[in-house]
Amino acid sequence: METFQNFINGRYVDPASREWIDSVNPYLGEAWARIPRSNDADVDKAVQAAHAAMYEGPWAKMNGTERGKLLQRLADLVERDAERLAEIEVRDNGKLYAEMLGQVRYHPKWLQYFGGLADKIEGRVIPIDKPHHFAFTRKEPVGVVAALTAWNSPLLFIAWKCAAALAAGCSVVVKPSEFASASTLAYARLTAEAGFPDGVFNVVTGYGPEAGGALIRHPLVSKITFTGSDATGAAIYQEAAKQLKRVTLELGGKSPNIVFEDCNIDAALSGAVSGIFAATGQTCIAGSRLLVQNSIKDEFSRRLVELGKTARKGDPMLPETNIGPVTTPPQFQKIVSYLDIAKKEGARCILGGAPVPAGALPGNQFVEPTIFTDVTSDMRIAREEVFGPVLSIIGFEDEKEAVRIANDTIYGLAAGIWTSDMGRAFRVSAAIRAGTVWVNTYRAVSYMMPFGGMKHSGIGRESGIESIESYLETKSTWISYDPNVPGNPFTLR
Ligand code: NAD
């Protein structure tokens, strides 16, 4: 079994507690590694190191071009080690190797993109209305950033958060999920190899309330960027408010995937499947509410069931596997409980609807791809995030009703629209309250495109040029070259 250490101030160190948490391979159901159980003392060490790096160390003196070069070097190293990092992610979260490798191979794009942006962070000269004054703004890094991430795509979230934070000149302390920390700890070595000064990138692992709680409460942390559930996000937001910390929150979703009768049906079927069964449904952007126009609902559902039946469950490392295990035991229990809830609420199960029987596959953490139909918007299965391969089909009559149902949710992360009518595509995409709307595609993300949620799905955006602003403060500087001593000092100038 591999033992990992925290990464603090440029080196790997044991946790102060000398206690460890087993990291379990969800496919085999066996511990494969141990990660540190960190406490206040470890977090304090990491934050102090990050703070010193930012305000005293060489990082503080580096210009944007130099920071950009380091990010570029890190990009090359991630590219070099992509297969090893992806394999670690699969061992930890059980998602398909093909998907994790794709994500890790795409990760360097964030580092390159924000590396290129690092020396284009500019203030402005303001043609100020006061005589004999020169006034300008400068952009300064916001301070030490705490990055807390979820277990479903740990390194992708590092790309989203840390590329922008480091380009801005911040230092970071990452607290990955206790269920999938190993890839982030392995990644830390690459930041040192790339040449980032000690203390710029730190990782402390451990339980949410313990290590995560200590991190978000630490007075030297200026900004929290969090990816996880809306319940934890709300708790972190409250805690952050006590010290007026800046926050970016990337939270859950209950995204509508809307199929109109005029669409390319084959494309919509493929989009519906990738929307819910890819990643075993363990993705914040899962298209878990499939809204289908009543005129095609029965035939579309029938074909969807046929497609769903072809999904092969098994070892996530194998290329022929379509559906891997659920990542964590609590998540598995949660999904199974929603299967019962949906049936009790009157939803009709047309595919799956049960966990894979114990003993059929290793680890005993598989759920059959499941489709419920005759779902209505008031059912819990249509309102709450399941985070598993469970689809709810809801019928609608016309465009107006589709928009009403789509928006009848506390969430607003993403939505899909399938139609051949471009007028409808523009109308409906504008009417839906979600941070991302895909038309005739689903699950596309890019380092260039802002990503984030409306309503309970979050606050702020990651990726895209504008996201770097959330790691910067604007400072207004006034310089007087007035040769005269001003008059009455007791009035505002
Ligand atoms: P989670 O909220 O349980 O945990 C996320 C992180 O917060 C972990 O590192 C955890 O240890 C930490 N944490 C938990 N309690 C804490 C506390 N009291 N104080 C400080 N830190 C704490 O989420 P999860 O189960 O790991 O992830 C699944 C959720 O993440 C889903 O709701 C999913 O939709 C969401 N998610 C959102 C996005 C997005 O970009 N919007 C992406 C992926 C996942």
Side-chain angles (χ1 to χ4, degrees), residues 29-71:
E30 289 166 359
W32 74 278
R34 306 189 307 161
I35 57 153
R37 176 178 175 177
S38 309
N39 59 25
D40 286 30
D42 306 293
V43 167
D44 184 53
K45 236 167 62 183
V47 175
Q48 295 286 358
H51 194 264
M54 251 209 85
Y55 296 104
E56 296 156 28
W59 188 239
K61 296 181 193 76
M62 269 190 201
N63 61 40
T65 307
E66 291 164 328
R67 294 198 304 274
K69 230 187 229 170
L70 292 181
L71 283 160

mmCIF file of all heavy atoms in Angstrom, residues 29-71:
data_model
loop_
_atom_site.group_PDB
_atom_site.id
_atom_site.type_symbol
_atom_site.label_atom_id
_atom_site.label_comp_id
_atom_site.label_asym_id
_atom_site.label_seq_id
_atom_site.Cartn_x
_atom_site.Cartn_y
_atom_site.Cartn_z
ATOM 1 N N GLY A 29 -12.954 -2.264 -4.042
ATOM 2 C CA GLY A 29 -13.430 -2.202 -2.657
ATOM 3 C C GLY A 29 -12.308 -2.406 -1.657
ATOM 4 O O GLY A 29 -12.540 -2.829 -0.523
ATOM 5 N N GLU A 30 -11.068 -2.111 -2.079
ATOM 6 C CA GLU A 30 -9.914 -2.327 -1.181
ATOM 7 C C GLU A 30 -9.100 -1.045 -1.070
ATOM 8 O O GLU A 30 -8.954 -0.317 -2.061
ATOM 9 C CB GLU A 30 -8.972 -3.382 -1.787
ATOM 10 C CG GLU A 30 -9.523 -4.779 -1.777
ATOM 11 C CD GLU A 30 -8.716 -5.706 -2.688
ATOM 12 O OE1 GLU A 30 -7.741 -5.222 -3.335
ATOM 13 O OE2 GLU A 30 -9.082 -6.883 -2.760
ATOM 14 N N ALA A 31 -8.526 -0.825 0.132
ATOM 15 C CA ALA A 31 -7.635 0.321 0.295
ATOM 16 C C ALA A 31 -6.387 0.086 -0.549
ATOM 17 O O ALA A 31 -5.851 -1.023 -0.580
ATOM 18 C CB ALA A 31 -7.262 0.478 1.760
ATOM 19 N N TRP A 32 -5.965 1.121 -1.276
ATOM 20 C CA TRP A 32 -4.742 0.971 -2.080
ATOM 21 C C TRP A 32 -3.656 1.963 -1.634
ATOM 22 O O TRP A 32 -2.497 1.819 -1.969
ATOM 23 C CB TRP A 32 -5.038 1.164 -3.571
ATOM 24 C CG TRP A 32 -5.295 2.611 -3.952
ATOM 25 C CD1 TRP A 32 -6.465 3.297 -3.824
ATOM 26 C CD2 TRP A 32 -4.332 3.537 -4.473
ATOM 27 N NE1 TRP A 32 -6.306 4.593 -4.237
ATOM 28 C CE2 TRP A 32 -5.008 4.769 -4.653
ATOM 29 C CE3 TRP A 32 -2.986 3.455 -4.815
ATOM 30 C CZ2 TRP A 32 -4.371 5.910 -5.157
ATOM 31 C CZ3 TRP A 32 -2.349 4.588 -5.314
ATOM 32 C CH2 TRP A 32 -3.044 5.802 -5.472
ATOM 33 N N ALA A 33 -4.069 2.979 -0.829
ATOM 34 C CA ALA A 33 -3.105 3.995 -0.387
ATOM 35 C C ALA A 33 -3.576 4.594 0.932
ATOM 36 O O ALA A 33 -4.727 4.391 1.348
ATOM 37 C CB ALA A 33 -2.981 5.082 -1.444
ATOM 38 N N ARG A 34 -2.653 5.321 1.576
ATOM 39 C CA ARG A 34 -3.009 6.063 2.796
ATOM 40 C C ARG A 34 -2.685 7.528 2.551
ATOM 41 O O ARG A 34 -1.623 7.840 1.991
ATOM 42 C CB ARG A 34 -2.181 5.591 3.994
ATOM 43 C CG ARG A 34 -2.214 4.107 4.263
ATOM 44 C CD ARG A 34 -1.561 3.761 5.584
ATOM 45 N NE ARG A 34 -0.195 4.301 5.722
ATOM 46 C CZ ARG A 34 0.436 4.448 6.888
ATOM 47 N NH1 ARG A 34 -0.183 4.115 8.005
ATOM 48 N NH2 ARG A 34 1.671 4.909 6.937
ATOM 49 N N ILE A 35 -3.577 8.392 3.006
ATOM 50 C CA ILE A 35 -3.316 9.836 2.881
ATOM 51 C C ILE A 35 -3.319 10.458 4.276
ATOM 52 O O ILE A 35 -3.969 9.940 5.190
ATOM 53 C CB ILE A 35 -4.367 10.522 1.984
ATOM 54 C CG1 ILE A 35 -5.794 10.282 2.526
ATOM 55 C CG2 ILE A 35 -4.262 10.045 0.541
ATOM 56 C CD1 ILE A 35 -6.767 11.349 2.167
ATOM 57 N N PRO A 36 -2.591 11.570 4.465
ATOM 58 C CA PRO A 36 -2.525 12.172 5.803
ATOM 59 C C PRO A 36 -3.877 12.669 6.313
ATOM 60 O O PRO A 36 -4.663 13.218 5.547
ATOM 61 C CB PRO A 36 -1.584 13.367 5.599
ATOM 62 C CG PRO A 36 -0.810 13.059 4.371
ATOM 63 C CD PRO A 36 -1.718 12.251 3.496
ATOM 64 N N ARG A 37 -4.095 12.432 7.607
ATOM 65 C CA ARG A 37 -5.229 13.062 8.278
ATOM 66 C C ARG A 37 -4.693 14.342 8.926
ATOM 67 O O ARG A 37 -4.072 14.299 9.995
ATOM 68 C CB ARG A 37 -5.805 12.130 9.347
ATOM 69 C CG ARG A 37 -6.913 12.797 10.115
ATOM 70 C CD ARG A 37 -7.538 11.902 11.150
ATOM 71 N NE ARG A 37 -8.506 12.682 11.910
ATOM 72 C CZ ARG A 37 -9.277 12.187 12.851
ATOM 73 N NH1 ARG A 37 -9.219 10.906 13.153
ATOM 74 N NH2 ARG A 37 -10.122 12.964 13.507
ATOM 75 N N SER A 38 -4.920 15.449 8.259
ATOM 76 C CA SER A 38 -4.313 16.707 8.723
ATOM 77 C C SER A 38 -5.232 17.413 9.700
ATOM 78 O O SER A 38 -6.453 17.229 9.674
ATOM 79 C CB SER A 38 -4.034 17.621 7.532
ATOM 80 O OG SER A 38 -3.321 16.916 6.542
ATOM 81 N N ASN A 39 -4.604 18.235 10.537
ATOM 82 C CA ASN A 39 -5.376 19.016 11.509
ATOM 83 C C ASN A 39 -4.942 20.481 11.471
ATOM 84 O O ASN A 39 -4.204 20.892 10.558
ATOM 85 C CB ASN A 39 -5.236 18.418 12.916
ATOM 86 C CG ASN A 39 -3.758 18.385 13.355
ATOM 87 O OD1 ASN A 39 -2.943 19.173 12.863
ATOM 88 N ND2 ASN A 39 -3.435 17.481 14.259
ATOM 89 N N ASP A 40 -5.359 21.243 12.461
ATOM 90 C CA ASP A 40 -5.044 22.690 12.505
ATOM 91 C C ASP A 40 -3.563 22.969 12.322
ATOM 92 O O ASP A 40 -3.180 23.935 11.652
ATOM 93 C CB ASP A 40 -5.431 23.260 13.877
ATOM 94 C CG ASP A 40 -6.920 23.414 14.030
ATOM 95 O OD1 ASP A 40 -7.642 22.618 13.398
ATOM 96 O OD2 ASP A 40 -7.352 24.313 14.771
ATOM 97 N N ALA A 41 -2.717 22.132 12.947
ATOM 98 C CA ALA A 41 -1.271 22.398 12.921
ATOM 99 C C ALA A 41 -0.724 22.288 11.495
ATOM 100 O O ALA A 41 0.075 23.131 11.061
ATOM 101 C CB ALA A 41 -0.546 21.414 13.848
ATOM 102 N N ASP A 42 -1.155 21.269 10.762
ATOM 103 C CA ASP A 42 -0.688 21.107 9.374
ATOM 104 C C ASP A 42 -1.183 22.257 8.498
ATOM 105 O O ASP A 42 -0.451 22.799 7.672
ATOM 106 C CB ASP A 42 -1.209 19.789 8.791
ATOM 107 C CG ASP A 42 -0.848 18.604 9.655
ATOM 108 O OD1 ASP A 42 0.346 18.286 9.745
ATOM 109 O OD2 ASP A 42 -1.765 18.017 10.272
ATOM 110 N N VAL A 43 -2.465 22.589 8.698
ATOM 111 C CA VAL A 43 -3.054 23.659 7.891
ATOM 112 C C VAL A 43 -2.329 24.969 8.181
ATOM 113 O O VAL A 43 -1.996 25.730 7.264
ATOM 114 C CB VAL A 43 -4.569 23.774 8.195
ATOM 115 C CG1 VAL A 43 -5.147 25.060 7.631
ATOM 116 C CG2 VAL A 43 -5.301 22.560 7.637
ATOM 117 N N ASP A 44 -2.050 25.210 9.443
ATOM 118 C CA ASP A 44 -1.368 26.457 9.802
ATOM 119 C C ASP A 44 0.018 26.520 9.141
ATOM 120 O O ASP A 44 0.411 27.552 8.601
ATOM 121 C CB ASP A 44 -1.248 26.574 11.326
ATOM 122 C CG ASP A 44 -0.625 27.903 11.736
ATOM 123 O OD1 ASP A 44 -1.144 28.953 11.291
ATOM 124 O OD2 ASP A 44 0.396 27.897 12.450
ATOM 125 N N LYS A 45 0.712 25.396 9.163
ATOM 126 C CA LYS A 45 2.043 25.352 8.532
ATOM 127 C C LYS A 45 1.942 25.675 7.036
ATOM 128 O O LYS A 45 2.741 26.445 6.494
ATOM 129 C CB LYS A 45 2.643 23.942 8.722
ATOM 130 C CG LYS A 45 3.987 23.974 9.392
ATOM 131 C CD LYS A 45 4.501 22.668 9.894
ATOM 132 C CE LYS A 45 4.745 21.583 8.891
ATOM 133 N NZ LYS A 45 5.170 20.322 9.457
ATOM 134 N N ALA A 46 0.957 25.087 6.402
ATOM 135 C CA ALA A 46 0.801 25.286 4.953
ATOM 136 C C ALA A 46 0.416 26.735 4.637
ATOM 137 O O ALA A 46 0.961 27.347 3.708
ATOM 138 C CB ALA A 46 -0.257 24.328 4.412
ATOM 139 N N VAL A 47 -0.507 27.284 5.430
ATOM 140 C CA VAL A 47 -0.956 28.655 5.143
ATOM 141 C C VAL A 47 0.176 29.649 5.451
ATOM 142 O O VAL A 47 0.393 30.608 4.689
ATOM 143 C CB VAL A 47 -2.238 28.996 5.950
ATOM 144 C CG1 VAL A 47 -2.616 30.461 5.741
ATOM 145 C CG2 VAL A 47 -3.387 28.100 5.535
ATOM 146 N N GLN A 48 0.913 29.398 6.537
ATOM 147 C CA GLN A 48 2.051 30.295 6.853
ATOM 148 C C GLN A 48 3.068 30.261 5.708
ATOM 149 O O GLN A 48 3.613 31.295 5.316
ATOM 150 C CB GLN A 48 2.748 29.857 8.157
ATOM 151 C CG GLN A 48 1.901 29.961 9.412
ATOM 152 C CD GLN A 48 1.703 31.389 9.904
ATOM 153 O OE1 GLN A 48 2.237 32.331 9.330
ATOM 154 N NE2 GLN A 48 0.897 31.557 10.944
ATOM 155 N N ALA A 49 3.320 29.069 5.174
ATOM 156 C CA ALA A 49 4.285 28.943 4.068
ATOM 157 C C ALA A 49 3.777 29.687 2.835
ATOM 158 O O ALA A 49 4.528 30.393 2.152
ATOM 159 C CB ALA A 49 4.500 27.461 3.737
ATOM 160 N N ALA A 50 2.480 29.533 2.570
ATOM 161 C CA ALA A 50 1.897 30.195 1.398
ATOM 162 C C ALA A 50 1.954 31.715 1.565
ATOM 163 O O ALA A 50 2.241 32.458 0.620
ATOM 164 C CB ALA A 50 0.449 29.737 1.217
ATOM 165 N N HIS A 51 1.693 32.153 2.790
ATOM 166 C CA HIS A 51 1.690 33.595 3.067
ATOM 167 C C HIS A 51 3.105 34.172 2.927
ATOM 168 O O HIS A 51 3.315 35.225 2.312
ATOM 169 C CB HIS A 51 1.142 33.834 4.477
ATOM 170 C CG HIS A 51 0.778 35.256 4.744
ATOM 171 N ND1 HIS A 51 1.634 36.136 5.380
ATOM 172 C CD2 HIS A 51 -0.335 35.965 4.429
ATOM 173 C CE1 HIS A 51 1.058 37.322 5.462
ATOM 174 N NE2 HIS A 51 -0.140 37.242 4.888
ATOM 175 N N ALA A 52 4.073 33.440 3.474
ATOM 176 C CA ALA A 52 5.466 33.914 3.387
ATOM 177 C C ALA A 52 5.907 33.940 1.918
ATOM 178 O O ALA A 52 6.588 34.873 1.477
ATOM 179 C CB ALA A 52 6.377 32.998 4.215
ATOM 180 N N ALA A 53 5.521 32.924 1.163
ATOM 181 C CA ALA A 53 5.913 32.883 -0.260
ATOM 182 C C ALA A 53 5.352 34.088 -1.000
ATOM 183 O O ALA A 53 6.014 34.685 -1.844
ATOM 184 C CB ALA A 53 5.401 31.595 -0.895
ATOM 185 N N MET A 54 4.133 34.452 -0.646
ATOM 186 C CA MET A 54 3.470 35.548 -1.370
ATOM 187 C C MET A 54 4.021 36.910 -1.044
ATOM 188 O O MET A 54 4.090 37.792 -1.886
ATOM 189 C CB MET A 54 1.986 35.551 -1.017
ATOM 190 C CG MET A 54 1.143 35.090 -2.154
ATOM 191 S SD MET A 54 -0.472 35.821 -2.104
ATOM 192 C CE MET A 54 -0.208 37.363 -2.914
ATOM 193 N N TYR A 55 4.373 37.095 0.228
ATOM 194 C CA TYR A 55 4.712 38.454 0.643
ATOM 195 C C TYR A 55 6.191 38.658 0.947
ATOM 196 O O TYR A 55 6.643 39.781 1.080
ATOM 197 C CB TYR A 55 3.832 38.867 1.831
ATOM 198 C CG TYR A 55 2.378 38.927 1.432
ATOM 199 C CD1 TYR A 55 1.485 37.917 1.800
ATOM 200 C CD2 TYR A 55 1.906 39.966 0.640
ATOM 201 C CE1 TYR A 55 0.151 37.959 1.398
ATOM 202 C CE2 TYR A 55 0.576 40.011 0.230
ATOM 203 C CZ TYR A 55 -0.296 39.004 0.616
ATOM 204 O OH TYR A 55 -1.602 39.057 0.201
ATOM 205 N N GLU A 56 6.947 37.555 1.084
ATOM 206 C CA GLU A 56 8.370 37.719 1.407
ATOM 207 C C GLU A 56 9.279 37.002 0.429
ATOM 208 O O GLU A 56 10.410 37.414 0.202
ATOM 209 C CB GLU A 56 8.658 37.160 2.822
ATOM 210 C CG GLU A 56 7.938 37.902 3.920
ATOM 211 C CD GLU A 56 7.761 37.032 5.167
ATOM 212 O OE1 GLU A 56 8.587 36.131 5.404
ATOM 213 O OE2 GLU A 56 6.773 37.262 5.892
ATOM 214 N N GLY A 57 8.835 35.891 -0.122
ATOM 215 C CA GLY A 57 9.709 35.029 -0.917
ATOM 216 C C GLY A 57 9.889 35.514 -2.344
ATOM 217 O O GLY A 57 9.392 36.577 -2.724
ATOM 218 N N PRO A 58 10.590 34.715 -3.147
ATOM 219 C CA PRO A 58 10.857 35.088 -4.546
ATOM 220 C C PRO A 58 9.583 35.200 -5.389
ATOM 221 O O PRO A 58 9.551 35.937 -6.364
ATOM 222 C CB PRO A 58 11.742 33.940 -5.056
ATOM 223 C CG PRO A 58 11.685 32.863 -4.040
ATOM 224 C CD PRO A 58 11.243 33.467 -2.756
ATOM 225 N N TRP A 59 8.544 34.495 -4.994
ATOM 226 C CA TRP A 59 7.268 34.572 -5.732
ATOM 227 C C TRP A 59 6.757 36.008 -5.770
ATOM 228 O O TRP A 59 6.242 36.480 -6.779
ATOM 229 C CB TRP A 59 6.246 33.655 -5.051
ATOM 230 C CG TRP A 59 4.927 33.457 -5.763
ATOM 231 C CD1 TRP A 59 3.692 33.745 -5.281
ATOM 232 C CD2 TRP A 59 4.707 32.875 -7.061
ATOM 233 N NE1 TRP A 59 2.719 33.392 -6.187
ATOM 234 C CE2 TRP A 59 3.322 32.857 -7.293
ATOM 235 C CE3 TRP A 59 5.551 32.391 -8.062
ATOM 236 C CZ2 TRP A 59 2.744 32.366 -8.467
ATOM 237 C CZ3 TRP A 59 4.978 31.895 -9.232
ATOM 238 C CH2 TRP A 59 3.602 31.885 -9.424
ATOM 239 N N ALA A 60 6.926 36.700 -4.636
ATOM 240 C CA ALA A 60 6.434 38.069 -4.537
ATOM 241 C C ALA A 60 7.130 38.971 -5.561
ATOM 242 O O ALA A 60 6.551 39.962 -6.027
ATOM 243 C CB ALA A 60 6.678 38.595 -3.124
ATOM 244 N N LYS A 61 8.367 38.619 -5.904
ATOM 245 C CA LYS A 61 9.140 39.505 -6.796
ATOM 246 C C LYS A 61 9.037 39.095 -8.258
ATOM 247 O O LYS A 61 9.501 39.803 -9.139
ATOM 248 C CB LYS A 61 10.612 39.493 -6.369
ATOM 249 C CG LYS A 61 10.805 40.063 -4.974
ATOM 250 C CD LYS A 61 12.269 40.061 -4.563
ATOM 251 C CE LYS A 61 12.408 40.322 -3.072
ATOM 252 N NZ LYS A 61 12.077 39.171 -2.221
ATOM 253 N N MET A 62 8.452 37.940 -8.516
ATOM 254 C CA MET A 62 8.396 37.469 -9.915
ATOM 255 C C MET A 62 7.391 38.271 -10.715
ATOM 256 O O MET A 62 6.304 38.577 -10.241
ATOM 257 C CB MET A 62 7.971 36.003 -9.937
ATOM 258 C CG MET A 62 9.143 35.074 -9.897
ATOM 259 S SD MET A 62 8.561 33.405 -10.213
ATOM 260 C CE MET A 62 9.913 32.522 -9.486
ATOM 261 N N ASN A 63 7.772 38.579 -11.950
ATOM 262 C CA ASN A 63 6.796 39.278 -12.787
ATOM 263 C C ASN A 63 5.927 38.272 -13.538
ATOM 264 O O ASN A 63 6.156 37.057 -13.493
ATOM 265 C CB ASN A 63 7.508 40.256 -13.736
ATOM 266 C CG ASN A 63 8.457 39.534 -14.672
ATOM 267 O OD1 ASN A 63 8.140 38.453 -15.177
ATOM 268 N ND2 ASN A 63 9.620 40.124 -14.911
ATOM 269 N N GLY A 64 4.937 38.787 -14.246
ATOM 270 C CA GLY A 64 3.974 37.930 -14.921
ATOM 271 C C GLY A 64 4.615 37.008 -15.948
ATOM 272 O O GLY A 64 4.213 35.850 -16.104
ATOM 273 N N THR A 65 5.610 37.496 -16.644
ATOM 274 C CA THR A 65 6.270 36.673 -17.670
ATOM 275 C C THR A 65 6.943 35.471 -17.006
ATOM 276 O O THR A 65 6.871 34.346 -17.511
ATOM 277 C CB THR A 65 7.310 37.515 -18.433
ATOM 278 O OG1 THR A 65 6.650 38.695 -18.914
ATOM 279 C CG2 THR A 65 7.889 36.759 -19.605
ATOM 280 N N GLU A 66 7.575 35.719 -15.870
ATOM 281 C CA GLU A 66 8.238 34.608 -15.158
ATOM 282 C C GLU A 66 7.207 33.605 -14.618
ATOM 283 O O GLU A 66 7.419 32.393 -14.694
ATOM 284 C CB GLU A 66 9.107 35.174 -14.017
ATOM 285 C CG GLU A 66 10.306 35.938 -14.549
ATOM 286 C CD GLU A 66 10.976 36.826 -13.486
ATOM 287 O OE1 GLU A 66 10.273 37.333 -12.582
ATOM 288 O OE2 GLU A 66 12.194 37.007 -13.580
ATOM 289 N N ARG A 67 6.103 34.120 -14.094
ATOM 290 C CA ARG A 67 5.053 33.203 -13.602
ATOM 291 C C ARG A 67 4.496 32.380 -14.764
ATOM 292 O O ARG A 67 4.255 31.183 -14.642
ATOM 293 C CB ARG A 67 3.922 33.993 -12.925
ATOM 294 C CG ARG A 67 4.329 34.696 -11.652
ATOM 295 C CD ARG A 67 3.114 35.087 -10.803
ATOM 296 N NE ARG A 67 2.144 35.919 -11.495
ATOM 297 C CZ ARG A 67 2.197 37.239 -11.584
ATOM 298 N NH1 ARG A 67 3.180 37.909 -10.995
ATOM 299 N NH2 ARG A 67 1.256 37.922 -12.226
ATOM 300 N N GLY A 68 4.329 33.040 -15.898
ATOM 301 C CA GLY A 68 3.807 32.353 -17.079
ATOM 302 C C GLY A 68 4.730 31.228 -17.530
ATOM 303 O O GLY A 68 4.276 30.146 -17.917
ATOM 304 N N LYS A 69 6.036 31.476 -17.438
ATOM 305 C CA LYS A 69 7.013 30.459 -17.845
ATOM 306 C C LYS A 69 6.906 29.229 -16.949
ATOM 307 O O LYS A 69 6.990 28.092 -17.410
ATOM 308 C CB LYS A 69 8.416 31.065 -17.708
ATOM 309 C CG LYS A 69 9.268 30.887 -18.951
ATOM 310 C CD LYS A 69 10.656 31.370 -18.641
ATOM 311 C CE LYS A 69 11.160 32.306 -19.713
ATOM 312 N NZ LYS A 69 12.390 32.981 -19.351
ATOM 313 N N LEU A 70 6.720 29.462 -15.641
ATOM 314 C CA LEU A 70 6.591 28.329 -14.707
ATOM 315 C C LEU A 70 5.321 27.523 -15.006
ATOM 316 O O LEU A 70 5.334 26.289 -14.968
ATOM 317 C CB LEU A 70 6.554 28.832 -13.254
ATOM 318 C CG LEU A 70 7.857 29.443 -12.732
ATOM 319 C CD1 LEU A 70 7.686 29.866 -11.272
ATOM 320 C CD2 LEU A 70 9.008 28.454 -12.849
ATOM 321 N N LEU A 71 4.250 28.234 -15.312
ATOM 322 C CA LEU A 71 3.001 27.521 -15.638
ATOM 323 C C LEU A 71 3.181 26.704 -16.915
ATOM 324 O O LEU A 71 2.684 25.582 -17.030
ATOM 325 C CB LEU A 71 1.846 28.521 -15.780
ATOM 326 C CG LEU A 71 1.295 29.026 -14.440
ATOM 327 C CD1 LEU A 71 0.525 30.328 -14.598
ATOM 328 C CD2 LEU A 71 0.381 27.975 -13.803
#
